[in-house]
């Protein structure tokens, strides 16, 4: 796809044939910033067949996705991973639909560098669009090839044949299994750009809420996560981190640690330290002793948190123009009748994964196998191979779910820990489990950001000038070289991280969703990309969209108020996209907008965004109550409408939207990393408060606008920005004060009202 929205709103045939999204970005050092028509997949994988849909563009062979053995067992492969979003079940539904078999007849394999296609990272709400679209087409083409093979064997027109549960049926009473039909078919072939069309009204599995295949073990206490893995003869390891980044190990009493009761080994390489033991509690005790006995240099200083947003404007950086458009003709004389200038800020956030990162590695007979909850097994494999100096084919990364993710947390670093330690004890599997404070102190954070807005509207309520300047550190420090792995910095021969390069529009990095979808002819939008920073930052769910949508929708409310126009009407007056209008109108109707919340301290807020301006649509309305004496924020009601194209699993979609609402509320109201020049203070949950159960929204309504036959647009991140913005607008409505600094409701905030 070339251009911002080409192909997204086309009809059913576009979904089946041309539903590919070409939005590339450079992932190699020194390559500069790529543009949206480069032939590099948006998640960094090489494009081999640009005319094919979804991830068939990067993995065009049919047998990369579907294989059938002699016993008629069908195995379906995806390079994407299950992160708790339910996509494994949804992808299985897609494959089962187009193969016309019951889901339980499919063996479904997720990311494994020895088995599955390379789909880069599971990120950016791309799983259904990329892998779902690939499976939708590959499965349909495989079934058609099997039908054609049976037709040749029976000398019967293919149109007269049907299939049910991996058996081909002929009207004359004959039948053969898919495996028998495969005898005349070569699946190691490029997929075709043409796929058999299946009318959405024929779907029996797509659009239905199948029970999630990952849930039973999770609710019954079964082994569900990499944290649960236990292999025969497995050793347990713990890492010993420096006090802060930049510290060098000056000394440690190795004998004191290795002479502790039980068999304990200290692994040391430069400033990298870890302990290995036969028993996990032994490993923990040895780690604690290591922290007491290790001597470190001073390390890198940290800034004062109060000055971080000013510091962002002073650090080494590169300025990128995001958008620069000028109206073709002068606007009306009153084009600046209403104006708003503001500076909005966002603090550093952490993923705060409920289960700290973990990995298991086994170096055996010259091959290293790593079990990991990474979001990208192939990029991680390349990074680990470089880190250890092993040939790529001697490293295998296998995805196993982890208890907590949604972004670039500590999973890759824990995998690198396990790999390094496993090399020191060959022949034995090693399990590395991070501790809570290690997760909080060393995971990549979500960037602090500063956004300056200068916007106008005319007297009739039509947008005029829209100028934005934003400052951000990277949101994409994924593993493109070994130096992006935390342990690589600490080795005797350290490896430097690859240079930071922002993701190009329309995907965006810190500038994700910084361009409003509203009808604006005159805009100047720039991103200052800060390349030297006090903290390592990387991807967290929605990237810069969280604060950018918050800023855009705050501006829309302020301009609407100045123009004396209802906020929903003001948005509709300034947007022409019909699907955007539909979700806005659906929420307004379901919420009863503009009915006002009753009583002092009550307020309502509205917001809208299309994720990345190319994916799912979301509008949302929120009603809150603020207790001014205590600062407590009660979210009374949330109503949202979403359009993510063809819906595969309605229940899975609602789960993602509801979970996003809760997570965004937590970020927006409470979360920030606390630090000062002496160090990070958010090393446990008391120092990093998140939304608690009593603060959950009292009522949540999710309205799904299904679009049968349209492309899958992804759902996991569409609500983060709109929820933040709707909360901000509701709090402004409740308090009469525009709050501009995230988080909005930290302790003591109400005293400024």
């Amino acid at each position: 796809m070339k251009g911002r929205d080409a192909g997204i709103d086309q009809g059913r045939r576009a979904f089946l044939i041309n539903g590919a999204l070409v939005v590339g970005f450079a992932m190699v050092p020194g390559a500069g910033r790529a543009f949206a028509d480069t032939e590099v997949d948006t998640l960094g994988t090489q494009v081999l067949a640009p005319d094919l849909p979804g991830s068939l563009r990067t993995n065009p062979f049919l047998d990369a996705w579907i294989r059938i053995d002699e016993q008629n067992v069908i195995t379906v492969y995806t390079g994407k991973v299950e992160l708790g979003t339910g996509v494994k079940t949804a992808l299985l539904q897609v494959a089962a639909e187009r193969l016309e078999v019951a889901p339980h007849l499919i063996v479904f394999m997720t990311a494994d560098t020895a088995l599955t296609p390379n789909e880069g990272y599971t990120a950016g709400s791309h799983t259904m669009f990329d892998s779902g679209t690939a499976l939708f087409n590959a499965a349909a083409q495989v079934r058609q090839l099997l039908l054609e093979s049976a037709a040749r064997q029976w000398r019967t027109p293919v149109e007269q044949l049907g299939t049910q549960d991996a058996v081909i049926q002929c009207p004359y009473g004959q039948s053969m299994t898919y495996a028998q039909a495969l005898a005349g078919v070569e699946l190691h072939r490029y997929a075709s750009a043409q796929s058999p069309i299946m009318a959405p009204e024929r779907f029996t599995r797509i659009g239905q809420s199948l029970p999630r295949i990952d849930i039973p073990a999770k609710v019954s206490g079964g082994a569900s996560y990499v944290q649960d893995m236990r292999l025969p003869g497995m050793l347990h390891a713990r890492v010993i981190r420096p006090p802060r980044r930049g510290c060098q190990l000056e000394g440690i009493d190795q004998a004191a640690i290795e002479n502790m009761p039980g068999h304990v080994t200290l692994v040391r390489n430069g400033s990298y330290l870890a302990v290995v033991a036969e028993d996990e509690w032994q490993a923990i005790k040895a780690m604690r002793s290591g922290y007491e006995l290790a001597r470190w240099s001073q390390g890198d200083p940290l800034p004062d948190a109060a000055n971080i947003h000013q510091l962002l404007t002073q650090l080494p950086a590169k300025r990128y123009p995001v958008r620069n458009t000028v109206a073709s003709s002068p606007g009306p004389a009153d084009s600046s009748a209403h104006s708003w200038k503001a500076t909005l800020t966002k603090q550093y956030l952490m993923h705060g994964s409920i289960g700290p990162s973990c990995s298991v590695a086994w170096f055996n007979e010259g091959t290293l196998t790593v079990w990991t909850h990474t979001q990208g097994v192939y990029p991680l494999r390349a990074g680990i191979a470089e880190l250890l100096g092993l040939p790529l084919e001697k490293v295998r990364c296998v995805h196993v779910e982890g208890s907590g993710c949604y972004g670039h947390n500590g999973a890759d670093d824990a995998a690198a820990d396990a790999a390094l330690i496993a090399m020191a004890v060959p022949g034995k599997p090693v399990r590395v489990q991070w501790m809570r404070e290690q997760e909080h102190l060393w995971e990549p954070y979500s960037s602090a950001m500063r956004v300056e807005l200068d916007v106008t509207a005319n007297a009739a309520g039509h947008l005029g000038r829209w100028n934005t300047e934003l400052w951000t550190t990277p949101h994409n420090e994924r593993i493109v070289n070994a130096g992006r792995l935390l342990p690589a910095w600490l080795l005797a021969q350290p490896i430097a991280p690859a240079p930071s390069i922002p993701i190009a529009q329309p995907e965006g990095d810190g500038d994700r969703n910084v361009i409003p979808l509203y009808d604006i002819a005159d805009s100047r939008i720039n991103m200052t990309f800060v390349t030297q920073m006090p903290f390592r930052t990387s991807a967290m769910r929605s990237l810069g969209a969280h604060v950018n949508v918050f800023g855009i929708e705050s501006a829309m409310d302020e301009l609407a108020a100045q123009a004396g126009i209802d906020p929903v009407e003001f948005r509709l007056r300034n947007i022409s996209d019909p699907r955007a209008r539909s979700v806005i109108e659906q929420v307004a109707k379901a919420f009863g907008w503009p009915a006002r919340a009753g009583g002092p301290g009550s307020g309502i807020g509205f917001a809208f965004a299309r994720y990345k301006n190319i994916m799912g649509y979301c509008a949302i309305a929120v009603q809150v109550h603020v207790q001014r004496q205590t600062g407590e924020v009660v979210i009374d009601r949330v109503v949202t409408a979403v359009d993510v194209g063809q819906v595969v699993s309605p229940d899975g979609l609602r789960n993602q939207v509801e979970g996003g609402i809760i997570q965004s509320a937590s970020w927006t109201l409470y979360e920030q990393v606390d630090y000062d020049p002496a160090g990070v203070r958010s090393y446990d949950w008391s120092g990093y408060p998140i939304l608690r159960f009593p603060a959950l929204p009292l009522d949540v309504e999710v309205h799904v606008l299904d679009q049968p036959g349209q492309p899958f647009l992804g759902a996991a991140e569409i609500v983060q920005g709109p929820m933040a913005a709707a909360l901000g607008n509701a709090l402004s409505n409740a308090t009469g004060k525009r709050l501009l600094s995230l988080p909005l409701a930290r302790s003591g905030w109400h005293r400024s009202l």
Side-chain angles (χ1 to χ4, degrees):
M1 183 187 80
K2 296 184 180 182
R4 295 190 54 78
D5 293 301
I8 295 297
D9 293 317
Q10 297 175 17
R12 183 183 308 146
R13 192 165 182 82
F15 173 46
L16 297 171
I17 299 171
N18 297 318
L21 181 64
V22 184
V23 277
F25 66 96
M27 291 195 70
V28 291
R33 200 172 194 206
F35 294 95
D37 58 355
T38 56
E39 288 304 295
V40 177
D41 182 80
T42 186
L43 299 174
T45 49
Q46 182 182 2
V47 173
L48 301 175
D51 295 331
L52 296 183
S55 287
L56 289 174
R57 302 174 66 249
T58 55
N59 298 274
F61 287 98
L62 290 176
D63 64 350
W65 303 92
I66 298 165
R67 298 179 192 178
I68 304 168
D69 69 13
E70 294 178 353
Q71 285 72 46
N72 209 35
V73 175
I74 301 171
T75 305
V76 174
Y77 303 88
T78 176
K80 300 298 187 182
V81 305
E82 176 62 74
L83 303 173
T85 63
V87 294
K88 186 175 182 179
T89 305
L91 292 171
L92 174 61
Q93 288 178 243
V94 171
E97 185 73 78
R98 297 314 316 268
L99 286 168
E100 297 197 11
V101 301
H104 73 270
L105 297 178
I106 293 175
V107 177
F108 197 79
M109 303 293 295
T110 61
D112 179 338
T113 57
L115 298 173
T116 63
N118 179 5
E119 293 192 81
Y121 286 100
T122 302
S125 292
H126 270 277
T127 296
M128 294 310 300
F129 195 99
D130 290 345
S131 205
T133 301
L135 286 172
F136 188 94
N137 287 273
Q141 292 182 31
V142 167
R143 176 181 174 274
Q144 184 66 23
L145 289 169
L146 297 175
L147 282 172
E148 292 170 356
S149 173
R152 287 193 300 270
Q153 294 181 50
W154 288 330
R155 297 182 181 179
T156 303
V158 70
E159 293 80 10
Q160 294 184 11
L161 306 182
T163 62
Q164 182 176 2
D165 288 344
V167 176
I168 301 171
Q169 299 164 333
C170 175
Y172 308 113
Q174 297 166 293
S175 66
M176 72 171 65
T177 65
Y178 279 6
Q180 291 169 329
L182 188 63
V185 177
E186 174 57 70
L187 291 185
H188 188 63
R189 60 193 288 174
Y190 262 36
S192 171
Q194 302 280 337
S195 292
I197 291 177
M198 186 178 194
E201 53 267 24
R202 287 187 53 211
F203 293 162
T204 59
R205 295 174 179 92
I206 290 176
Q208 303 300 312
S209 296
L210 269 64
R212 275 178 50 176
I213 57 180
D214 62 311
I215 292 295
K218 293 176 180 177
V219 300
S220 64
S224 304
Y225 303 110
V226 67
Q227 286 91 342
D228 300 322
M229 283 189 66
R230 299 294 186 272
L231 297 179
M234 187 175 74
L235 302 177
H236 294 269
R238 288 293 190 276
V239 293
I240 301 168
R241 297 287 191 226
R244 66 172 68 187
R245 188 169 179 173
C247 291
Q248 298 294 315
L249 182 65
E250 295 179 338
I252 188 169
D253 189 341
Q254 182 168 341
I257 294 174
E258 293 189 333
N259 289 333
M260 293 179 68
H263 182 73
V264 177
T265 300
L266 180 70
V267 177
R268 177 178 178 181
N269 184 335
S271 294
Y272 183 81
L273 291 175
V275 290
V276 188
E278 294 179 350
D279 177 80
E280 187 169 16
W281 180 236
Q282 285 179 318
I284 293 172
K285 290 190 292 184
M287 176 201 68
R288 290 176 175 173
S289 294
Y291 273 114
E292 294 174 358
L293 296 170
R295 302 185 307 279
W296 302 91
S297 65
Q298 188 67 28
D300 299 336
L302 293 181
D304 189 326
N307 302 324
I308 188 62
H309 297 105
Q310 182 61 35
L311 181 62
L312 285 176
T313 67
Q314 301 166 356
L315 291 169
K318 182 174 181 181
R319 192 165 181 258
Y320 289 94
V322 178
R323 190 182 194 193
N324 190 342
T325 59
V326 179
S328 57
S329 59
D334 65 347
S335 61
S336 297
H338 309 295
S339 63
W340 190 60
K341 291 184 179 182
T343 298
L344 303 95
T345 61
K346 166 186 170 289
Q347 294 285 350
Y348 290 102
L349 303 178
M350 64 173 62
H351 297 84
S353 299
I354 295 298
S357 295
C358 180
S359 182
V360 177
W362 190 1
F363 184 61
N364 192 39
E365 297 182 353
T367 297
L368 176 70
T369 303
V370 182
W371 291 268
T372 167
H373 56 115
T374 179
Q375 289 183 268
V377 290
Y378 278 92
L380 177 61
R381 179 182 69 161
I384 287 176
E386 180 188 352
L387 178 73
L388 302 178
L390 289 174
L392 197 62
E393 64 272 13
K394 293 297 183 180
V395 180
R396 178 184 181 185
C397 288
V398 183
H399 180 265
V400 183
E401 275 195 77
S403 54
C405 193
Y406 295 128
H408 183 185
N409 63 355
D412 296 303
D413 300 321
D417 284 327
L420 277 166
I421 299 166
M423 296 295 290
V425 287
K428 290 281 192 177
V430 177
R431 176 179 177 269
V432 175
Q433 173 68 67
W434 281 16
M435 308 299 281
R436 169 57 53 195
E437 62 272 15
Q438 292 171 340
E439 186 79 30
H440 278 210
L441 295 177
W442 287 98
E443 66 150 60
Y445 296 151
S446 172
S447 175
M449 293 178 62
R450 174 188 176 103
V451 182
E452 295 181 357
L453 288 169
D454 177 7
V455 298
T456 68
N458 66 18
H462 295 286
L463 294 172
R465 179 182 71 250
W466 194 286
N467 294 343
T468 306
E469 294 283 343
L470 70 90
W471 288 261
T472 181
T473 56
H475 290 255
N476 182 44
E477 295 295 274
R478 299 285 192 178
I479 312 306
V480 298
N481 83 322
R484 293 278 182 89
L485 294 165
L486 167 60
W489 310 344
L490 302 171
L491 302 180
Q493 299 294 323
I495 304 172
S500 300
I501 301 171
I503 307 171
Q505 287 286 335
E507 295 276 320
D509 192 277
D511 56 337
R512 181 168 291 181
N513 271 100
V514 74
I515 302 173
L517 194 65
Y518 299 107
D519 301 329
I520 300 168
D522 187 353
S523 63
R524 292 167 185 81
I525 300 174
N526 300 291
M527 175 177 68
T528 300
F529 190 72
V530 180
T531 54
Q532 294 182 26
M533 64 212 90
F535 297 106
R536 179 173 64 148
T537 59
S538 194
M540 183 182 282
R541 205 177 193 184
S542 84
L543 279 62
H546 175 231
V547 69
N548 288 325
V549 175
F550 173 76
I552 290 168
E553 295 297 291
S554 296
M556 293 297 287
D557 260 33
E558 289 292 326
L559 292 175
Q562 291 183 36
I565 301 172
D566 174 78
V568 171
E569 170 57 30
F570 186 77
R571 286 166 172 81
L572 291 172
R573 194 171 297 191
N574 285 284
I575 199 162
S576 54
D577 185 319
R579 291 170 72 172
R581 295 179 65 88
S582 292
V583 294
I584 292 171
E585 290 167 347
Q586 176 62 41
V587 169
K589 177 181 177 182
F591 190 82
W593 193 276
R596 291 289 184 259
S602 294
I604 60 173
F606 195 95
F608 159 80
R610 182 182 186 187
Y611 189 47
K612 299 188 263 192
N613 289 344
I614 55 172
M615 300 190 88
Y617 298 81
C618 175
I620 193 164
V622 174
Q623 177 179 319
V624 302
H625 181 81
V626 180
Q627 173 52 258
R628 294 198 180 208
Q629 284 72 32
T630 64
E632 179 186 8
V633 177
V634 177
I635 304 174
D636 296 308
R637 186 182 179 206
V638 180
V639 176
T640 183
V642 296
D643 171 357
V644 295
Q646 172 76 63
V647 176
V648 174
S649 171
D651 183 61
L653 172 58
R654 287 190 172 88
N655 287 340
Q656 283 308 289
V657 172
E658 291 169 358
I661 286 169
I662 293 168
Q663 186 179 48
S664 182
S666 184
W667 291 351
T668 305
L669 293 176
Y670 306 114
E671 293 188 38
Q672 72 177 52
V673 177
D674 285 332
Y675 58 92
D676 57 36
V680 174
R681 304 303 182 186
S682 298
Y683 51 82
D684 59 16
W685 291 118
S686 65
Y688 192 80
I690 62 174
L691 195 75
R692 308 295 183 180
F693 281 108
L696 292 176
L698 302 180
D699 182 47
V700 176
E701 298 174 34
V702 179
H703 299 265
V704 176
L705 279 62
D706 195 10
Q707 303 287 349
Q710 289 292 313
F712 308 131
L713 295 183
E717 300 171 275
I718 61 174
V719 76
Q720 311 302 116
M723 179 60 185
L727 261 179
N729 288 334
L731 288 173
S732 175
N733 182 246
T735 64
K737 181 177 180 179
R738 174 62 60 182
L739 303 174
L740 300 174
S741 297
L742 298 174
L744 302 177
R746 292 283 285 199
S747 179
W749 74 285
H750 57 288
R751 287 191 281 271
S752 65
L753 297 177

